[in-house]
Amino acid sequence: MGQVSVTLNGRNYRLECSEGEEAHLTALADYLGTHVDEMRRKFGQVGDDRLILMASLVVADELWELRREIDDLKTALAGARRDKSASDENAKSIEADLTEKIGEAAERLELINARFAGAGGAAERR
């Protein structure tokens, strides 16, 4: 079991964590500590519990906002996937139409070529 010692608002706290998680827990405590320091600068020394609570609420608000943004991005991604599927279907339809038109044009060109070949052969026979 790992252990770290963190300092918030001048007080030391000893925390246990899983082995290998020490650096991560320290980084989290440092992040929270920056918010505690900011709250102390804004409101003065209103007590450890209150400062830590206010800082924790700020961090929770950040998390909440990020979760909302992730949900919005998931919704946008789902919409983009639906739009892509619709676009793919539209592209397949256009491709089929073009293939048909190209086939019709090729048939007409063959008919025109046959007429010219027939007309050229008749003119040569005269």
Side-chain angles (χ1 to χ4, degrees), residues 3-6 21-31:
Q3 286 190 352
V4 295
S5 180
V6 299
E21 292 294 316
E22 296 87 355
H24 181 67
L25 184 57
T26 300
L28 291 173
D30 289 345
Y31 183 71

Side-chain angles (χ1 to χ4, degrees), residues 8-108:
L8 289 175
N9 199 31
R11 291 189 64 192
N12 289 326
Y13 298 90
R14 182 176 279 308
L15 304 171
E16 290 186 1
C17 60
S18 297
E19 206 57 49
E21 292 294 316
E22 296 87 355
H24 181 67
L25 184 57
T26 300
L28 291 173
D30 289 345
Y31 183 71
L32 182 61
T34 62
H35 288 292
V36 169
D37 294 343
E38 183 180 329
M39 294 294 121
R40 187 177 60 241
R41 280 192 299 278
K42 281 184 178 179
F43 303 109
Q45 188 60 291
V46 294
D48 291 338
D49 292 343
R50 184 169 285 170
L51 285 173
I52 292 171
L53 172 64
M54 290 187 307
S56 297
L57 289 172
V58 169
V59 171
D61 183 55
E62 291 173 355
L63 173 63
W64 203 264
E65 179 62 22
L66 290 171
R67 288 173 66 185
R68 187 195 59 75
E69 289 177 17
I70 288 171
D71 287 344
D72 290 349
L73 288 171
K74 285 179 181 178
T75 300
L77 179 60
R81 285 181 176 156
R82 280 191 304 275
D83 291 348
K84 183 185 178 308
S85 293
S87 294
D88 288 348
E89 288 301 315
N90 190 32
K92 287 177 185 175
S93 174
I94 290 171
E95 183 180 1
D97 289 347
L98 285 174
T99 300
E100 183 181 336
K101 298 289 184 198
I102 290 170
E104 291 172 2
E107 288 176 14
R108 286 189 207 141

